[in-house]
Amino acid sequence: MGSTAVNSDYGATRELSALQKERALYRPELPPTNLRSLPTFGRAESPGSIGSAPPRHMPCPIPCHSALISPAGSILSTGWGTAVRVEYGDATIAADGADAHVIGNAFPHTYGQPLAHFLPEAANAADAAIITEHPVVRVGVVFSGRQSPGGHNVIWGLHDALSAHNPSSKLIGFLGGTDGLFAQKTLEITEEVLSSYKNQGGYDMIGRTRDQIRTTEQVKAAMTTCQTLMLDALVIIGGVTSNTDAAQLAETFAESKCSTKIVGVPVTLNGDLKNQFVETTVGFDTICKVNSQLISNICTDALSAEKYYYFIRLMGRKASHVALECALESHPNMVILGEEVAASKLTISDITKQICDAVQARAENDKYHGVMLIPEGLVESIPELYALLQEIHGLHDKGVSVESISSHLSPWASALFNFLPQFIRKQLLLHPESDDSAQLSQIEIEKLLAQLVETEINKRLEEGTYKGKKFNAICHFFGYQARGALPSKFDCDYAYVLGHVCYHILAAGLNGYMATVTNLKNHLVRWKCGAAPITSMMTVKGWSRGPAATQIGKPAVHMASVDLKGKAYELLRQNSSSFLMEDIYKNPGPLQFEGPGAEAKPISLCVEDRDYMGRIKQLQEYLEKVKCIVKPGCSQDVLKAALSAMAHVIELLTIMSSPSYSGQAATI
Amino acid sequence: MGSTAVNSDYGATRELSALQKERALYRPELPPTNLRSLPTFGRAESPGSIGSAPPRHMPCPIPCHSALISPAGSILSTGWGTAVRVEYGDATIAADGADAHVIGNAFPHTYGQPLAHFLPEAANAADAAIITEHPVVRVGVVFSGRQSPGGHNVIWGLHDALSAHNPSSKLIGFLGGTDGLFAQKTLEITEEVLSSYKNQGGYDMIGRTRDQIRTTEQVKAAMTTCQTLMLDALVIIGGVTSNTDAAQLAETFAESKCSTKIVGVPVTLNGDLKNQFVETTVGFDTICKVNSQLISNICTDALSAEKYYYFIRLMGRKASHVALECALESHPNMVILGEEVAASKLTISDITKQICDAVQARAENDKYHGVMLIPEGLVESIPELYALLQEIHGLHDKGVSVESISSHLSPWASALFNFLPQFIRKQLLLHPESDDSAQLSQIEIEKLLAQLVETEINKRLEEGTYKGKKFNAICHFFGYQARGALPSKFDCDYAYVLGHVCYHILAAGLNGYMATVTNLKNHLVRWKCGAAPITSMMTVKGWSRGPAATQIGKPAVHMASVDLKGKAYELLRQNSSSFLMEDIYKNPGPLQFEGPGAEAKPISLCVEDRDYMGRIKQLQEYLEKVKCIVKPGCSQDVLKAALSAMAHVIELLTIMSSPSYSGQAATI
């Protein structure tokens, strides 16, 4: 859609099905953080540290300099809405110390800001800033990036928080995504507009489009819009690239003294925006549940008919989070994670052989059916296909026409290209996406594998090494049919709470932060709300190529791969041989909103040790305790013990934090 | 799977998900018919009419000749289980009078048997036979044909009914479908075997394979199995072809004085086993709900991204019942029913033009997204593609190799073939299925249409008649991912009740009957259980070709097409223009087992006037009432009025029943 053509139906109330109506009436709870019961007045200024990074490794100055922030602990009891209680942690640093300098240089105004924890009412608030005045604010919100179930609830949560704190505040949605942001196409988000979109899938309330805020023109247009509409904050809902853009926008705004604060929200079905601060993204749970339902149905079908191998490709971009989670939920016979393939540098013929061996082993047990999961990103994880794609994309950049690319390939790439079947050659020749990745949703890698396996099995049959029956494959691609799904209870809750957190961030005057909710694997009452500077999630990669070549070394929030040392992967590996041979398929069934399974969370979320932010906070408490114990006046022995113990700790941590150590770890 | 290779995991108890466990605990209710509260004894012999058709248009002799059948109304109160109360209707005739002679000749022992109604406890049982003795019986059961959600519950219902009436009775499942029947591969169905398959999808408890009981060898093998295992009855669970086979088996058994009774059960996801006695089939509801969930998700996705047209092909064989029901449930922009195309003789270019006009009309409203449903059977409804397929299949029959078929085509067929894209040529060349139809699941007609539409839109763009943006299509095939789904509550209930009805049929000693439950659109307590001779559902078609040419004129249960004069289709037509232009997408959501929507039934079932069997019974009651009123001794005027009125009725019905009338009706 061009920026001039805007769907006139945006925000229209619409006819809902019985279930949709029931869902629209569901209201997620809030963790105790949100202090909904406390009436307040008074106005918080932005913390003084915004716009200038606090010294590293030092506690962040608590922003308590303004008369409008009431003294910690004393809550005033008149006025609109509720108080926001924020406690700041240490200044943040990049996860990889080696990148810190580059990121700090690129984001002088927004790097190194402290973590923010939003505290529950009952918490010891000695260090907390309490924001009690909530003036009228104007907030913009935009969907940036592919739709993900639950996105609407972020807007709903934000709207509820805004009107709870000051009913005169305005929430302005940008229509048709970032195009609407640049062109100032808006729709005021009201209770009426929201009514038929609460807990509903899709992004159709305000729409989205191709999604970036990156070029100078785009950034300038966004700033003009924010200034023209006098926005106090702009909330950007999206994945890794959208949040990178958000961080860049925050930096530019800070530099240009534009007063609009930028807030990012982690919403992407791929589940690849994942780091120490972000445990999972909105939509991932729903996508995995819908896909697992379908995969399980296919498993049951396979076991009933006993004659087909199903090769199922799963949407999820480069990382294999969706495939891993779906495998843990539905127990298919095999899943080929891109991260495994990349780590072991498996070639296309290695993978074919692995699958053929599996088919053969099953045939020896009289089994001629099976289900294989293949992440769409696999094609870029296979070394020779990745190299071929890089050559093709390079030729695209040079302006070589699609028709003549094949004749410009290097001899080996040309040999590989000609070895591949016709249908996939055409797909590999497609123009890359704006982030330089191949058009993963268009490349039918599952069909390629099925075809290669069939050829190999037929060869083995002729040679007499395979003695089973004919191999029959059926291929599927699951993605679009899950993307618009009604969000799961978990995604509804998570997104709604994130929406509230956005308000807390802007009330605290923070810029360039992402809303976070951690400890998610526990019950909602134990969820912890906070915010982390987006810059603290950035890394610098040196290997970009092609159209992004100009961006080499540019810091960004990069997608997280599946952690091959993580517990979720370990769980898969422990079970992979019984998955392969024993057909212990499990059907989680269709997503339920009541009864058993309605409260289920992603398995990969639940098995991992998370709550990084909580543990960071705990460390702070330990350090404080040491100070309390080792006060002037304590015994010589206590001091001696403390010094000795801490010296060890320092030595240990210094070694572990050194670049050489992390280098070694990576090669283990 | 060959008949010697049987999955050793059949009937294994297995690990279930939380939702599967909950579902396994669900117990469908029974309509009052089943007299579960009445203890009985005594033994029913087979009705005397079995094996010799009762005179037509005469009430069927009530099988009351045996001392073991207690006098109507008096229920004896000791012994195992409960009584079965059966009332016989008139002898059945073929729906098309012209076929009656052919069917009667082909099925001398089983044509013309009466309808059977199984009565509720409270019913006036004056005419009913009450079967009170329930000796030990041995019953076989086999899945025949493609898996359909709910199939397991037929077996469960049958097992429950068997053990309720005599716990020593045995239920024997054949493993791996009809192959297991021929090879006597069996598994005794026990409560333990059933425990993890209750209300679960798939056919994996005992499996299935390629499915026919048709050749002389197959029929002979089936008979040997039934005699060797001393089966009192064999229950065949399947669709139109399986039930045709069941009728043939019943006839052969009756002729050969094999005492095993054959019972058919209408289970097929296609919904195409539909006639005056069968309102819908087990599995259809689930399939439509799962597909509608996915279609709606795609609709939401389309509306969020606003840049793709989704072309979704739906599994469902030749008829378009699934596509019609899904359209009514999810409101996509367009659905192309095979029956419409066949009735209007639309060519591939007509259909392309229609879709292009729709795309163009939407572009004029700034809409560049949409969702189109395409039944997989469409390819055989398009006249020129059907003719091309017939030529190809004819060449297959002549033994022409796949590689050289294209060079043997007639000039026009060759021209069409060469006009079509490469991928679909390959698919059209596939060997036809055993019923002479094309391999519908393999022919990507949705891709063909998407490609033709793209070409035509590009042409219009060049000519300047289309002024919109680029047309982008994404294609899907939905089928396998629904087939193994957890069955809906409706399918669980319907299948379980049908299982019970099977017992009633065999207790009544009926042979060649299909179990029926009617009045399904009403609450379960008003469902009516009965049985109809499979021969009464048969028709004779003269147009078979190819490998089935020997079967020309052979009676069979044929698949029912979507009724273009029916109310479901009318409902679609009334809404089709708002569906097309207004994007009134509706998301029924994932199949729920609790809360709103859990009780929903197929819309196409609910809008049609059904309960044919109930209405047939009502007519009988009217006729009885006339007799009661016009008794000897009534006034001259009453007799005169009755004679005059009845003369009119007779004249009217005679005209309407004449072959010439039905011929006219067909051409209207």
Side-chain angles (χ1 to χ4, degrees):
Chain A
M1 167 182 289
S3 61
T4 51
V6 167
N7 185 340
S8 57
D9 299 334
Y10 280 130
T13 48
R14 33 178 202 162
E15 198 196 345
L16 299 180
S17 73
L19 184 65
Q20 282 182 301
K21 277 184 202 158
E22 175 82 3
R23 291 305 297 156
L25 296 176
Y26 170 73
R27 190 182 188 89
E29 281 179 67
L30 289 172
T33 311
N34 289 272
L35 303 178
R36 295 189 60 84
S37 58
L38 293 178
T40 59
F41 79 80
R43 168 83 219 264
E45 296 266 298
S46 310
S49 60
I50 294 294
S52 60
R56 280 159 215 165
H57 307 298
M58 287 284 289
C60 172
I62 293 150
C64 220
H65 55 96
S66 159
L68 291 168
I69 297 183
S70 70
S74 86
I75 311 283
L76 302 173
S77 60
T78 47
W80 285 110
T82 62
V84 165
R85 294 152 73 107
V86 56
E87 184 182 35
Y88 292 96
D90 285 347
T92 53
I93 55 168
D96 184 344
D99 296 340
H101 181 71
V102 181
I103 302 172
N105 280 350
F107 295 88
H109 300 84
T110 51
Y111 179 70
Q113 299 184 96
L115 287 189
H117 306 279
F118 299 107
L119 300 184
E121 180 187 352
N124 178 341
D127 286 349
I130 302 180
I131 300 156
T132 49
E133 190 184 311
H134 296 276
V136 174
V137 287
R138 294 172 58 83
V139 178
V141 63
V142 65
F143 285 130
S144 175
R146 294 182 174 81
Q147 51 270 35
S148 187
H152 285 139
N153 271 27
V154 175
I155 300 184
W156 178 29
L158 175 57
H159 178 264
D160 275 9
L162 277 167
S163 38
H165 289 89
N166 192 324
S168 302
S169 289
K170 294 257 178 279
L171 181 58
I172 294 146
F174 290 103
L175 297 180
T178 51
D179 278 357
L181 173 67
F182 306 143
Q184 302 183 27
K185 302 267 177 202
T186 63
L187 175 75
E188 190 186 334
I189 309 293
T190 60
E191 185 56 32
E192 197 196 336
V193 167
L194 281 164
S195 61
S196 65
Y197 293 92
K198 293 175 181 174
N199 305 307
Q200 310 293 323
Y203 276 7
D204 47 321
M205 182 170 73
I206 54 173
R208 66 102 175 166
T209 179
R210 288 179 62 210
D211 332 284
Q212 55 169 30
I213 318 173
R214 201 164 308 157
T215 66
T216 315
E217 294 75 41
Q218 289 170 334
V219 171
K220 217 179 261 176
M223 204 189 299
T224 305
T225 295
C226 290
Q227 286 168 333
T228 309
L229 300 177
M230 295 180 297
L231 297 185
D232 295 283
L234 172 66
V235 173
I236 297 174
I237 298 172
V240 284
T241 48
S242 304
N243 277 285
T244 301
D245 288 351
Q248 189 55 62
L249 207 59
E251 179 67 23
T252 310
F253 280 22
E255 192 183 355
S256 314
K257 312 247 182 286
C258 169
S259 63
T260 309
K261 310 299 182 199
I262 303 294
V263 180
V265 191
V267 179
T268 165
L269 63 91
N270 307 324
D272 58 0
L273 202 182
K274 206 169 167 180
N275 52 49
Q276 56 269 54
F277 310 112
V278 181
E279 297 182 351
T280 188
T281 49
V282 172
F284 177 72
D285 180 52
T286 304
I287 292 296
C288 292
K289 286 198 170 118
V290 176
N291 281 337
S292 295
Q293 169 200 358
L294 302 181
I295 293 161
S296 309
N297 289 351
I298 294 266
C299 290
T300 304
D301 197 69
L303 196 54
S304 300
E306 297 182 284
K307 58 181 178 182
Y308 295 120
Y309 274 91
Y310 293 90
F311 284 61
I312 302 173
R313 178 167 47 111
L314 294 170
M315 186 179 270
R317 306 295 299 150
K318 300 187 186 204
S320 304
H321 300 286
V322 172
L324 173 58
E325 174 64 25
C326 290
L328 293 175
E329 289 185 17
S330 61
H331 304 183
N333 297 101
M334 209 171 175
V335 55
I336 301 164
L337 301 183
E339 287 82 353
E340 286 179 312
V341 169
S344 307
K345 297 200 172 53
L346 298 180
T347 63
I348 188 90
S349 94
D350 293 333
I351 299 171
T352 306
K353 190 176 165 304
Q354 276 194 3
I355 301 176
C356 288
D357 291 348
V359 168
Q360 187 157 348
R362 290 178 58 81
E364 283 158 17
N365 286 5
D366 268 330
K367 292 184 179 183
Y368 295 96
H369 63 275
V371 177
M372 313 288 184
L373 300 191
I374 295 153
E376 66 175 4
L378 183 67
V379 64
E380 291 200 341
S381 304
I382 301 172
E384 71 270 38
L385 287 182
Y386 179 75
L388 173 60
L389 279 167
Q390 290 304 322
E391 268 202 35
I392 292 171
H393 296 174
L395 292 166
H396 273 298
D397 293 341
K398 288 188 193 148
V400 178
S401 75
V402 171
E403 294 70 32
S404 50
I405 279 183
S406 65
S407 59
H408 285 74
L409 291 170
S410 67
W412 81 262
S414 178
L416 173 60
F417 190 77
N418 290 320
F419 159 78
L420 296 171
Q422 178 64 33
F423 74 89
I424 204 143
R425 285 189 224 165
K426 220 171 133 187
Q427 295 163 354
L428 293 174
L429 289 177
L430 290 170
H431 259 278
E433 305 226 10
S434 58
D435 66 349
D436 191 31
S437 71
Q439 287 199 28
L440 300 177
S441 61
Q442 306 299 316
I443 300 178
E444 296 172 303
I445 182 79
E446 79 286 11
K447 276 200 187 161
L448 174 62
L449 286 174
Q451 205 162 310
L452 294 174
V453 168
E454 188 177 354
T455 307
E456 170 69 16
I457 289 284
N458 288 343
K459 199 178 125 231
R460 294 186 185 188
L461 199 59
E462 268 176 39
E463 294 168 358
T465 47
Y466 171 83
K467 295 183 172 65
K469 287 196 281 175
K470 195 178 171 310
F471 168 84
N472 293 305
I474 292 177
C475 295
H476 280 286
F477 176 44
F478 291 167
Y480 296 106
Q481 56 269 64
R483 233 166 48 170
L486 284 176
S488 67
K489 237 173 131 284
F490 174 75
D491 276 330
C492 288
D493 294 349
Y494 182 30
Y496 183 77
V497 173
L498 280 172
H500 275 261
V501 173
C502 289
Y503 177 76
H504 289 218
I505 293 173
L506 72 92
L510 302 175
N511 182 36
Y513 276 68
M514 192 186 296
T516 65
V517 180
T518 52
N519 206 24
L520 287 169
K521 71 176 176 178
N522 288 302
H523 189 277
L524 185 138
V525 299
R526 295 173 60 195
W527 287 5
K528 293 173 190 161
C529 299
I534 301 173
T535 50
S536 69
M537 305 174 190
M538 287 186 169
T539 47
V540 183
K541 288 194 178 177
W543 45 257
S544 299
R545 302 197 200 195
T550 52
Q551 293 188 15
I552 287 186
K554 202 170 172 188
V557 182
H558 287 104
M559 63 104 189
S561 303
V562 167
D563 180 3
L564 298 184
K565 294 182 211 123
K567 293 198 177 171
Y569 179 73
E570 191 187 329
L571 186 61
L572 177 72
R573 274 312 121 211
Q574 280 166 357
N575 288 287
S576 56
S577 66
S578 46
F579 282 6
L580 176 60
M581 296 306 295
E582 294 165 27
D583 298 352
I584 49 171
Y585 305 138
K586 196 166 183 178
N587 196 333
L591 222 166
Q592 298 295 292
F593 298 108
E594 292 182 35
E599 303 287 340
K601 293 171 185 176
I603 295 172
S604 51
L605 172 72
C606 295
V607 298
E608 297 282 1
D609 295 322
R610 304 301 305 219
D611 195 23
Y612 177 91
M613 288 180 75
R615 286 180 291 143
I616 279 270
K617 216 158 160 287
Q618 199 177 6
L619 179 71
Q620 269 187 302
E621 285 160 22
Y622 284 159
L623 298 178
E624 286 301 319
K625 261 193 196 156
V626 172
K627 273 204 249 174
C628 283
I629 298 169
V630 195
K631 280 227 166 97
C634 70
S635 76
Q636 284 279 5
D637 285 354
V638 167
L639 181 59
K640 201 170 152 191
L643 280 175
S644 157
M646 291 309 296
H648 275 289
V649 171
I650 301 297
E651 192 182 352
L652 177 75
L653 297 180
T654 306
I655 292 170
M656 289 184 66
S657 304
S658 75
S660 61
Y661 180 85
S662 66
Q664 278 177 348
T667 59
I668 283 166
Chain B
M1 168 180 295
S3 61
T4 50
V6 166
N7 184 340
S8 57
D9 299 335
Y10 280 131
T13 47
R14 29 177 206 163
E15 197 197 346
L16 300 179
S17 71
L19 184 64
Q20 282 182 301
K21 278 184 201 157
E22 174 83 4
R23 291 306 296 155
L25 296 175
Y26 170 72
R27 189 182 189 89
E29 282 178 66
L30 289 172
T33 312
N34 290 273
L35 304 176
R36 295 190 59 83
S37 58
L38 292 178
T40 59
F41 79 81
R43 162 86 217 258
E45 295 269 298
S46 309
S49 61
I50 293 294
S52 60
R56 278 160 215 167
H57 306 298
M58 288 283 289
C60 172
I62 292 151
C64 220
H65 55 96
S66 158
L68 291 169
I69 296 185
S70 70
S74 86
I75 311 284
L76 303 172
S77 58
T78 47
W80 286 110
T82 62
V84 166
R85 296 152 71 105
V86 56
E87 184 181 37
Y88 293 96
D90 287 346
T92 53
I93 53 168
D96 184 342
D99 297 340
H101 182 68
V102 181
I103 302 171
N105 280 349
F107 294 88
H109 300 84
T110 51
Y111 179 70
Q113 298 185 98
L115 287 189
H117 305 279
F118 299 107
L119 300 184
E121 182 187 350
N124 178 341
D127 286 349
I130 301 181
I131 301 157
T132 48
E133 190 184 310
H134 296 276
V136 173
V137 287
R138 293 172 59 82
V139 179
V141 63
V142 64
F143 285 129
S144 175
R146 292 180 175 82
Q147 51 270 37
S148 187
H152 285 140
N153 270 27
V154 175
I155 300 184
W156 177 28
L158 175 56
H159 178 264
D160 274 9
L162 276 168
S163 38
H165 289 90
N166 192 323
S168 301
S169 288
K170 294 257 179 275
L171 181 58
I172 293 146
F174 289 103
L175 297 181
T178 52
D179 279 356
L181 174 66
F182 306 144
Q184 303 184 27
K185 302 264 177 206
T186 63
L187 174 76
E188 189 184 335
I189 308 293
T190 60
E191 184 58 30
E192 198 198 335
V193 167
L194 280 164
S195 61
S196 65
Y197 293 93
K198 292 175 181 176
N199 305 307
Q200 310 295 321
Y203 276 7
D204 46 321
M205 181 170 74
I206 53 173
R208 64 102 174 166
T209 179
R210 288 180 62 210
D211 332 283
Q212 54 169 31
I213 317 174
R214 202 165 307 156
T215 66
T216 315
E217 294 73 43
Q218 290 171 332
V219 170
K220 218 179 260 175
M223 203 188 298
T224 305
T225 295
C226 290
Q227 286 168 334
T228 309
L229 299 177
M230 297 181 296
L231 298 186
D232 295 283
L234 174 65
V235 173
I236 296 173
I237 297 173
V240 286
T241 49
S242 304
N243 277 285
T244 300
D245 288 350
Q248 188 57 60
L249 207 59
E251 179 67 24
T252 310
F253 280 20
E255 194 184 352
S256 313
K257 311 248 183 285
C258 169
S259 64
T260 309
K261 309 301 180 196
I262 303 295
V263 180
V265 191
V267 179
T268 164
L269 64 90
N270 308 323
D272 58 359
L273 201 181
K274 206 170 170 180
N275 53 50
Q276 56 270 52
F277 309 112
V278 181
E279 296 180 354
T280 189
T281 48
V282 172
F284 177 72
D285 181 50
T286 304
I287 293 296
C288 293
K289 285 197 171 117
V290 176
N291 281 336
S292 296
Q293 170 201 356
L294 302 182
I295 294 163
S296 308
N297 289 351
I298 294 267
C299 290
T300 304
D301 196 69
L303 196 54
S304 299
E306 296 182 285
K307 59 182 178 182
Y308 295 121
Y309 273 91
Y310 293 90
F311 284 60
I312 302 173
R313 177 165 50 108
L314 294 170
M315 186 178 270
R317 307 294 300 151
K318 300 185 184 206
S320 303
H321 300 286
V322 172
L324 173 58
E325 175 65 25
C326 290
L328 293 175
E329 288 185 17
S330 61
H331 303 184
N333 297 102
M334 211 171 174
V335 54
I336 301 164
L337 302 181
E339 288 82 351
E340 286 178 312
V341 168
S344 308
K345 297 198 170 54
L346 298 180
T347 63
I348 189 88
S349 94
D350 292 334
I351 298 171
T352 306
K353 191 178 166 302
Q354 276 192 5
I355 301 176
C356 288
D357 291 349
V359 169
Q360 187 156 350
R362 289 177 57 82
E364 283 158 17
N365 286 4
D366 268 330
K367 292 184 179 183
Y368 295 96
H369 63 275
V371 177
M372 313 288 183
L373 300 190
I374 296 155
E376 66 175 4
L378 184 67
V379 64
E380 290 200 341
S381 304
I382 300 172
E384 71 272 34
L385 287 182
Y386 179 74
L388 173 59
L389 280 168
Q390 289 305 320
E391 268 201 34
I392 291 171
H393 296 174
L395 291 166
H396 274 297
D397 293 340
K398 286 187 194 150
V400 178
S401 74
V402 172
E403 294 70 30
S404 51
I405 280 183
S406 67
S407 59
H408 285 74
L409 291 170
S410 67
W412 81 261
S414 177
L416 173 60
F417 189 77
N418 290 320
F419 159 78
L420 296 172
Q422 179 64 31
F423 74 90
I424 203 144
R425 284 189 226 165
K426 218 171 133 187
Q427 295 163 352
L428 294 174
L429 289 177
L430 291 170
H431 259 278
E433 305 226 10
S434 58
D435 66 348
D436 190 31
S437 70
Q439 285 199 29
L440 300 177
S441 61
Q442 305 300 317
I443 301 178
E444 297 173 302
I445 181 78
E446 80 285 10
K447 276 199 187 161
L448 175 62
L449 286 174
Q451 203 163 314
L452 294 174
V453 167
E454 187 177 356
T455 307
E456 169 69 17
I457 290 283
N458 288 344
K459 198 176 126 232
R460 292 185 186 187
L461 199 58
E462 268 177 39
E463 293 168 357
T465 48
Y466 172 82
K467 297 184 172 63
K469 286 195 281 175
K470 194 175 170 317
F471 168 84
N472 293 306
I474 292 177
C475 294
H476 280 287
F477 176 44
F478 289 169
Y480 296 104
Q481 57 268 68
R483 231 164 52 168
L486 284 176
S488 67
K489 240 175 130 282
F490 174 76
D491 276 329
C492 287
D493 294 349
Y494 181 31
Y496 183 78
V497 174
L498 280 172
H500 275 261
V501 172
C502 289
Y503 178 77
H504 288 219
I505 293 173
L506 71 94
L510 302 175
N511 182 36
Y513 277 68
M514 193 186 294
T516 64
V517 179
T518 52
N519 207 23
L520 287 169
K521 70 177 177 178
N522 288 303
H523 189 276
L524 185 138
V525 300
R526 296 173 61 196
W527 286 7
K528 292 173 189 162
C529 299
I534 301 174
T535 51
S536 69
M537 304 172 189
M538 288 186 166
T539 47
V540 183
K541 287 197 178 174
W543 45 259
S544 298
R545 303 198 202 191
T550 52
Q551 292 187 15
I552 286 185
K554 201 165 172 192
V557 181
H558 286 104
M559 64 105 191
S561 302
V562 166
D563 180 4
L564 298 183
K565 293 182 209 123
K567 292 197 179 172
Y569 179 72
E570 191 187 328
L571 187 61
L572 177 70
R573 276 308 123 212
Q574 280 166 357
N575 288 289
S576 56
S577 65
S578 45
F579 282 6
L580 177 59
M581 295 307 294
E582 293 166 27
D583 299 352
I584 47 170
Y585 306 138
K586 199 168 180 175
N587 197 333
L591 223 165
Q592 297 296 292
F593 298 109
E594 291 181 37
E599 303 286 341
K601 294 171 184 175
I603 296 172
S604 51
L605 172 72
C606 295
V607 299
E608 297 282 0
D609 296 321
R610 304 299 307 220
D611 195 22
Y612 177 91
M613 288 181 74
R615 286 181 290 143
I616 279 268
K617 211 151 165 291
Q618 196 177 10
L619 180 72
Q620 270 187 302
E621 285 161 22
Y622 284 158
L623 298 177
E624 285 301 317
K625 261 196 192 153
V626 172
K627 273 205 248 173
C628 283
I629 298 169
V630 196
K631 280 230 166 93
C634 72
S635 78
Q636 283 282 3
D637 285 354
V638 167
L639 180 59
K640 201 168 151 193
L643 281 175
S644 154
M646 291 311 294
H648 273 291
V649 171
I650 301 298
E651 192 181 352
L652 177 74
L653 298 180
T654 308
I655 292 170
M656 287 184 65
S657 305
S658 73
S660 61
Y661 181 84
S662 66
Q664 280 178 348
T667 58
I668 281 164

